[in-house]
Amino acid sequence: DLHPNPDLAATVRFEQAMLDLGLHLGVGAQRPERDTGEGPDDLWSLGELAYLVIECKSGVTAGVIYRHDSEQLSYSMDWFAEKYDQSCSATPILIPKSATLHHNASARPGTQLITFDRLAELRDAVTKFAAALAGDNAFKDPDEVAKQLATWHLNAKQFIVHWGTAPQKK
């Protein structure tokens, strides 16, 4: 369900798929907006008090990031700052069609994007990760799981560095 689609039901499935992906990769994940009525679409805990605050824009069709979408991510970061201790750090993540900000939009410092093109590559990497673990029961070996997470840039340290990109001004 990690496929962009403007249908409302598909966007809900996408947000759930992001939660499922986090859990599949071994990070803590939750959906604060669904569960509490406030906060981001998804929140991943990477360990060591580091988090990803994720806003999914899987239903957008525009080739730019509009102000209301970047403001929603900013609100979610404010929510995180209110709910979590100052010793915790969070990276703002937006999943849009394009990496380009509309001329009247701005992004919070440190914002990373996983564009639809990168999302397709991520889906492919997750499939290859799962296939590698399925062979010879490799999923039973913690060292092999860690090796495959690193190979496909799916571990907590590499995930956003590899899959994310900085927003660009139009």
Side-chain angles (χ1 to χ4, degrees), residues 28-98:
Q30 57 183 277
R31 291 185 54 201
E33 184 178 44
R34 177 198 65 186
D35 297 340
T36 69
E38 59 182 5
D41 294 329
D42 288 275
L43 179 67
W44 286 11
S45 172
L46 304 178
E48 299 178 8
L49 302 177
Y51 294 81
L52 300 180
V53 172
I54 304 169
E55 285 295 342
C56 303
K57 297 298 163 196
S58 60
V60 302
T61 57
V64 295
I65 300 167
Y66 287 110
R67 182 177 174 176
H68 64 274
D69 292 332
S70 62
E71 286 175 343
Q72 184 180 7
L73 181 58
S74 186
Y75 162 78
S76 291
M77 289 298 291
D78 291 342
W79 170 89
F80 181 88
E82 287 177 15
K83 300 290 183 190
Y84 286 78
D85 187 89
Q86 289 182 342
S87 61
C88 298
S89 65
T91 301
I93 306 295
L94 193 65
I95 304 177
K97 181 176 183 175
S98 164

Side-chain angles (χ1 to χ4, degrees), residues 146-163:
K147 176 184 169 194
Q148 291 301 322
L149 285 168
T151 296
W152 300 106
H153 311 286
L154 299 172
N155 60 19
K157 291 184 190 239
Q158 293 179 319
F159 187 85
I160 205 58
V161 171
H162 183 78
W163 300 107

